[in-house]
Amino acid sequence: MAGESGVPDGGASATPEVLALAKVVSRLRAEVVDLEGLASMTAVVERTKGVLMAREGVTADTANRLLLERAAEHRRTLLEECWLTLGRVTGAGPAATPAQAVPAAGAVPTLPREPGPSPFDTGRYVVADGGRPTGHRTALAALARSLAGARTPIETARRLYEALADAEDLGAVMIYTLTTAGSLKLIGHAGIDDALAEQWSHVPPLSGIAAMEAIEAREAVWLEDPDLDAARYLLIGEPPERWPSRAWLPVPGYGAGAAVVGFLRTRRGPFTAGTRTLLRRAVRLCGGLLHEGGAVRGSLPLQADVEAIQTIFDAMSGPVVLLSPLRGRTGEVEDYRIDAASPQSVDVAGRHGKELVGRRVLETYPTVAGTALWEGYLDALTLGAVYEGEPFLYEDVSAGVPERSTYSVRATRLGERLVVTWIRHDTTDRETRRLDDLQRLGNLGWASWNLLTDTVTWSDQVYAVFGRDPALGPMRLEELPEHLLPEDLPALGAAVQRLLGDGTAIDQYFRIAAPDGLRHLRIVAEAQRDADGSPLEVHGFFQDLTALRAAEMALRESERANLVQRGTLKAERALGARLQDTLLPIPEQSLELAGLRVDVAYLPADSGLNVGGDWYSAIELPDKSALFVVGDVAGHGLAAVGTMAQLRFTAKGMTITGSPLPDALARLNALLLHTATDAHSATATMVMGRYQPWDHRLTWVRAGHLPPLLIRDGAATYLPQPQGTLLGAAFGSSYGQEVTDLLPGDHLLFYTDGLVEEPGEDIGLGLAQLAETALRLVREGRSGALATALAGLRDGHRDDICVLEIYVPPRPDPTGPV
C-alpha cells in the first residue's frame, strides 16, 4: 500500500536514499504527464491549421492568424477555437458554418450548433432540478452525520464518496492540499486504486491544472466537455473518458491550509445547478476537517453557531440580522455588532446581506441611538421579552437629501444575542414611480429569474424593448437564441454561462431580429448567490440601444462625408493652384514692353480652400503696341479658374487679330451668357488697355471694373471711367472707351478689388487709402516695386489680389552722350 504522501511504504528496511529516490520518480512521472499534455495540445492546434489550409486554401501562417483572430473575436482560448473548428468539420461539414448575413425583420436566423451543452438550456441552472432537492437534502444530512466521525482526510474522502456516489454517479473523490513549495499533495482519495493514487500523489506547480486554478481563483472549476477539457487542462486521473465530467472545488481554508476537493463523475454532461449547490455544501462540511491537511479540526463552538444561523438566514426572504451586544467598561451596552444577515437586509447606505456582517448598528443606522427602538433592544436582551415596536418614523440624510421612512421592528433574544427583523412600509409607491420614470426615459426594463421556482418576471418596458406581445409572457432562456443574430450567439452564450453558472455579473451587447427590424440591445445583470456561491436569483435590466447605435452610425457617416469633402476641397485647391500657376505665371522681375516697365504682384486669399479667378495679361501685339488686362471672375474654385482661362485667352486672341477694345468686351459678354448653364453661370469684371509707343497714348475700356490709378507729378488720381457693365450680366451691353496720354515718370495701376475692399466699409474709403498709400511709397523712393509693396501691405485679405503697375521711364536726353 502507498502512504498518504504517495511514497511506497518500505517498512523498517526503507532507507532515506530509497525514500528520496521514490519522491524524485513521482515528480518526474508528473512532469512527463504534463509534457504529454502539452504535446497533445500542440497536436490539436496543428491539426486545426491543416484543416483550415485545406478548406480555405491558405498558408500555415495565415491559418494560424485566422485561428487567433477568431478566438479573440469570440472570446475563446486558442484550443477552444480549435476544437470548435474541428467539430464543425467532423459534424455538419463546411456547409454548417453560420451565415453572416443580417436576417430580415421578423426572420428567425439559423443558429450554429457547437459541440457541448448549450448555455441556453434552462435545466443547467434551475436549482429545482426535477425534484432532486429533497434527495440532495437527504444526502447532505447523511453526509454531515458521517463526517462527524471522520478523523483523517482519507476518511473524509471515503465518506464523501460513499454519500454521493449513487446520487451523482460519482466515480472518485480526490483531495489535495497546497504545499509551501506551491505543488499539490494528495491527502485523501476514494474510488481510485493505489497505483493511480501513487502516480498523482504530487502535482508540480504548473499551469493548466484545474485543481490549482480552483485554489488560486477561490472559485470552483467545472469540467463538462472531455474533449475541450483535455485540450485546456492536464487532467488529473486520465484517461478523460473514464470520468467524462469533473469538478474541483476549493475548501474554505486559511493561507497554507488551502485545499481542493475533486469530484470525478462517470456521467457525461454538465453539472446542474442543484448538483453544484450539493457539492459546494458538501465541501463546506469538510472545511474544518481539511484545514491545514487535517491538523486543525472544527471551529470554536460560538463561531459554529453563527455560521449555522447565517445558513438559515441565507434561505430567508425578509430582512433579519443577528446582533451581538458590545459592552463598555461599566458593562453597559454601547452598540451592537451584526454577526449574520439575510440577503434582504439593507442599511441606509445601500449595503445588503453579508456586506453588513461585522458592522455596527450605529454605523448602519446612526440616528437610532436613544430612541424607543434602542430601549426595546435593551429590554429584549436583559429581560428576554419579545420587543414588537409600533411603526415609527426614521429620518436620515442620503447624498445630502433628507429621507423619511416608516418601520416596524421586532427583536427576540437568542442566547446572548438578538434576532431582529423589520418591515419598511412606505417605499413601494415612491420607488415604483421612480422605476417607471427610469425605464421610460432610459428605454430599459428590469427582469428577474428565480432559479428556485423557475419563474421569470419582466417589467412592462422589457416587452417594448424586445417588441414582444405581453400576452406571450416573459421569454424563456431557450427562446432567446431564436431571435439572436448568429454572430452574437457565442458571446452572449458565454455571458449567460458566467452569470448563471458562476454567478458573475455581466454587461453584454447583442442584437436581435424584432418584428420591426434589427435591434441593438444590452443586458446588465447580477446573480444573488447563497452561502455556497450558487446563484439563486438573477436580477438585471435590458436596454434598447437601437436609437443610440443609429445616432452613432449617422455621426460616423457624417464624419466620413466630412473627411471626403475636405479631401475633395483640398484636391480641388491643389489642382486649381496648379492650373493657375500654369495659366498665369507671375514674373520674378520687371517686364519691358513697348518702352514701358511692367511689374506684377499676385497674392491668393488668406482664408478658404478655394482658388480665385483674378488674372492679368501683359503682352506685345503684332504692331509693337502693348496690351494690358486685369480681370476678376466672381467666385472661387475650379469653375472660376476655368472662366478666367477662357476670358484671358479669348481677349488676347481678339486683340491680336485686331478687334477694337469695345467690340472685344461685347463679345466676351456674349460668350459668358451663351456658355452659362443651369448648374453654372459666371460674371466677371475687366479693365483692358492698349498702349501705342509711337504716340505714348493708352486707349482703355472697362467692364464693371474699378478705375486705374495714375500717379503723376506728386499727385494720385483715378482716371475717368468709360461706360461698361459687368461681363455676363445682361445681353446687349455696350462698352465705351477712354484715351489717356502717358508721360515720362507716370505710374499707372491696374488692380482687382481685393486690394481696396474691406468687409463692412465703403469702397470709396478703400480707394482713397490706396491713392494715399501709393503716392507715399512713390515719394519715399519705393516706386521700383510699387505693385509688390502695395500687395504686401494687405495682411489678412479675404480675396485674391492682383496688381499690374505700368511705369513710363524718362525719355533719353537728345543732347546727352550717344
Side-chain angles (χ1 to χ4, degrees):
M1 296 293 291
E4 291 181 19
S5 66
V7 179
D9 291 333
S13 61
T15 65
E17 291 79 4
V18 172
L19 293 176
L21 180 60
K23 290 183 178 180
V24 171
V25 171
S26 176
R27 293 189 178 183
L28 287 176
R29 285 175 177 171
E31 292 177 2
V32 168
V33 170
D34 183 69
L35 290 175
E36 291 175 349
L38 292 176
S40 175
M41 298 176 194
T42 304
V44 170
V45 175
E46 292 301 319
R47 180 185 172 195
T48 309
K49 286 166 58 177
V51 168
L52 285 181
M53 291 168 63
R55 187 175 65 185
E56 303 188 16
V58 297
T59 64
D61 290 340
T62 303
N64 188 67
R65 178 176 55 80
L66 287 175
L67 284 173
L68 292 174
E69 290 176 352
R70 292 171 183 175
E73 178 183 358
H74 298 291
R75 298 181 180 178
R76 303 187 184 109
T77 65
L78 176 60
L79 287 172
E80 287 175 336
E81 187 65 33
C82 289
W83 281 116
L84 291 176
T85 301
L86 292 175
R88 294 190 185 101
V89 173
T90 58
T97 301
Q100 298 299 317
V102 175
V108 178
T110 302
L111 299 177
R113 185 64 179 172
E114 297 184 350
S118 170
F120 297 95
D121 181 7
T122 299
R124 297 185 61 181
Y125 311 111
V126 175
V127 179
D129 196 25
R132 275 200 170 187
T134 301
H136 287 173
R137 286 195 293 268
T138 302
L140 276 175
L143 177 60
R145 290 191 296 269
S146 175
L147 288 176
R151 293 293 181 268
T152 65
I154 287 287
E155 291 182 12
T156 301
R158 179 176 56 79
R159 298 188 184 205
L160 280 173
Y161 175 73
E162 291 173 350
L164 303 177
D166 293 337
E168 293 300 328
D169 298 328
L170 204 61
V173 173
M174 302 179 75
I175 303 176
Y176 281 93
T177 186
L178 187 66
T179 67
T180 56
S183 61
L184 293 178
K185 175 184 177 183
L186 184 66
I187 60 174
H189 61 84
I192 62 174
D193 55 38
D194 294 335
L196 190 60
E198 180 183 355
Q199 178 184 353
W200 293 98
S201 61
H202 282 89
V203 179
L206 302 172
S207 60
I209 305 295
M212 189 80 73
E213 182 179 309
I215 290 179
E216 293 174 351
R218 307 304 300 161
E219 292 284 347
V221 177
W222 309 94
L223 308 181
E224 301 169 328
D225 187 310
D227 293 333
L228 289 178
D229 297 336
R232 294 181 60 185
Y233 297 104
L234 171 60
L235 298 180
I236 295 177
E238 288 193 340
E241 59 271 12
R242 181 175 180 182
W243 296 296
S245 59
R246 308 158 186 240
W248 292 96
L249 283 75
V251 178
Y254 308 90
V260 62
V261 178
F263 298 95
L264 286 65
R265 297 197 309 177
T266 58
R267 183 200 312 169
R268 281 186 170 270
F271 292 85
T272 65
T275 298
R276 292 189 179 201
T277 299
L278 172 65
L279 297 183
R280 285 191 178 103
R281 291 178 176 175
V283 171
R284 283 177 62 86
L285 291 174
C286 305
L289 296 169
L290 300 177
H291 175 43
E292 294 185 1
V296 178
R297 299 184 65 250
S299 303
L300 294 176
L302 185 62
Q303 182 62 26
D305 293 342
V306 172
E307 291 180 357
I309 293 172
Q310 179 64 66
T311 302
I312 297 172
F313 282 6
D314 287 334
M316 300 183 67
S317 59
V320 55
V321 295
L322 179 68
L323 303 182
S324 292
L326 302 177
R327 302 180 183 274
R329 293 181 179 178
T330 62
E332 295 183 355
V333 175
E334 297 180 344
D335 204 343
Y336 297 88
R337 184 184 66 244
I338 301 175
D339 287 340
S342 67
Q344 297 299 322
S345 302
V346 59
D347 69 353
V348 294
R351 293 176 289 237
H352 289 77
K354 293 181 180 179
E355 295 177 335
L356 299 173
V357 174
R359 300 186 182 276
R360 301 189 177 194
V361 167
L362 295 183
E363 177 186 356
T364 56
Y365 286 92
T367 62
V368 78
T371 64
L373 174 63
W374 193 260
E375 298 299 327
Y377 283 177
L378 290 176
D379 290 343
L381 185 64
T382 57
L383 303 178
V386 176
Y387 169 75
E388 293 188 12
E390 296 292 330
F392 68 97
L393 182 67
Y394 179 82
E395 181 174 346
D396 194 35
V397 177
S398 178
V401 179
E403 291 189 359
R404 296 182 177 182
S405 300
T406 302
Y407 292 87
S408 292
V409 178
R410 188 176 192 272
T412 306
R413 188 173 71 181
L414 180 64
E416 297 299 323
R417 297 183 174 89
L418 288 178
V419 175
V420 179
T421 62
W422 67 92
I423 299 174
R424 187 174 180 179
H425 298 284
D426 59 345
T427 60
T428 303
D429 293 340
R430 179 178 60 192
E431 292 182 352
T432 299
R433 290 194 301 270
R434 290 176 177 177
L435 184 59
D436 290 341
D437 291 340
L438 174 64
Q439 293 182 92
R440 176 177 51 83
L441 295 174
N443 198 11
L444 54 84
W446 61 265
S448 65
W449 183 15
N450 189 317
L451 301 179
L452 290 169
T453 61
D454 192 19
T455 54
V456 180
T457 305
W458 278 10
S459 69
D460 294 339
Q461 192 66 26
V462 180
Y463 292 98
V465 168
F466 277 87
R468 182 178 176 88
D469 185 356
L472 298 175
M475 188 182 299
R476 301 288 298 171
L477 184 62
E478 289 89 349
E479 296 180 60
L480 188 56
E482 300 176 4
H483 304 273
L484 281 174
L485 262 64
E487 52 265 39
D488 292 348
L489 183 61
L492 185 60
V496 169
Q497 173 61 42
R498 293 196 304 273
L499 174 66
L500 300 174
D502 304 327
T504 304
I506 63 170
D507 185 345
Q508 184 65 39
Y509 161 81
F510 62 98
R511 295 165 294 174
I512 64 170
D516 58 350
L518 186 67
R519 292 194 180 185
H520 301 258
L521 304 185
R522 173 194 184 197
I523 179 175
V524 178
E526 63 181 4
Q528 178 183 327
R529 300 192 282 186
D530 62 11
D532 303 303
S534 298
L536 295 178
E537 192 167 1
V538 176
H539 305 279
F541 66 83
F542 292 97
Q543 184 176 19
D544 189 348
L545 303 176
T546 305
L548 178 61
R549 295 298 186 194
E552 291 176 351
M553 293 176 64
L555 179 60
R556 286 197 296 267
E557 181 62 24
S558 176
E559 291 176 347
R560 187 195 67 80
N562 184 42
L563 289 174
V564 171
Q565 179 67 13
R566 289 176 60 185
T568 301
L569 292 176
K570 185 176 181 180
E572 181 179 314
R573 178 179 176 85
L575 178 59
R578 291 181 62 185
L579 286 173
Q580 206 166 40
D581 290 341
T582 303
L583 298 173
L584 195 66
I586 304 300
E588 296 181 357
Q589 54 186 342
S590 300
L591 301 175
E592 297 291 338
L593 291 176
L596 302 175
R597 189 190 73 196
V598 180
D599 287 295
V600 178
Y602 178 85
L603 291 178
D606 282 347
S607 62
L609 293 177
N610 296 320
V611 292
D614 290 13
W615 91 93
Y616 79 96
S617 283
I619 61 172
E620 186 178 89
L621 299 177
D623 61 356
K624 303 303 181 181
S625 63
L627 176 69
F628 303 105
V629 183
V630 169
D632 185 359
V633 176
H636 292 79
L638 294 180
V641 174
T643 302
M644 176 268 287
Q646 184 181 43
L647 292 176
R648 181 170 181 264
F649 291 117
T650 303
K652 289 169 63 176
M654 286 189 293
T655 53
I656 287 175
T657 57
S659 297
L661 298 184
D663 292 348
L665 288 183
R667 292 172 183 173
L668 291 175
N669 180 64
L671 175 65
L672 289 186
L673 290 170
H674 283 289
T675 56
T677 64
D678 293 337
H680 175 71
S681 60
T683 60
T685 66
M686 181 187 296
V687 59
M688 181 164 52
R690 181 176 181 178
Y691 176 73
Q692 301 173 163
W694 51 85
D695 58 3
H696 312 295
R697 179 162 293 180
L698 176 72
T699 302
W700 66 281
V701 294
R702 59 176 285 274
H705 205 84
L706 295 173
L709 177 63
L710 176 64
I711 302 173
R712 175 184 293 171
D713 298 333
T717 58
Y718 289 100
L719 299 182
Q721 300 187 70
Q723 177 186 355
T725 58
L726 193 71
L727 297 178
F731 287 99
S733 297
S734 59
Y735 299 90
Q737 68 178 17
E738 288 287 339
V739 177
T740 302
D741 292 332
L742 296 183
L743 304 179
D746 285 352
H747 293 269
L748 185 65
L749 297 178
F750 290 175
Y751 52 92
T752 57
D753 55 6
L755 187 65
V756 294
E757 280 189 340
E758 286 288 348
E761 290 187 2
D762 183 81
I763 188 66
L765 179 61
L767 292 172
Q769 290 178 343
L770 172 61
E772 178 183 349
T773 302
L775 183 59
R776 176 174 56 81
L777 292 174
V778 170
R779 287 175 176 173
E780 292 175 355
R782 299 170 61 183
S783 59
L786 184 59
T788 303
L790 289 171
L793 293 175
R794 296 287 296 171
D795 293 332
H797 53 284
R798 299 186 180 182
D799 200 358
D800 296 346
I801 295 175
C802 183
V803 184
L804 188 147
E805 176 200 1
I806 300 173
Y807 174 66
V808 184
R811 297 191 180 97
D813 186 357
T815 62
V818 179

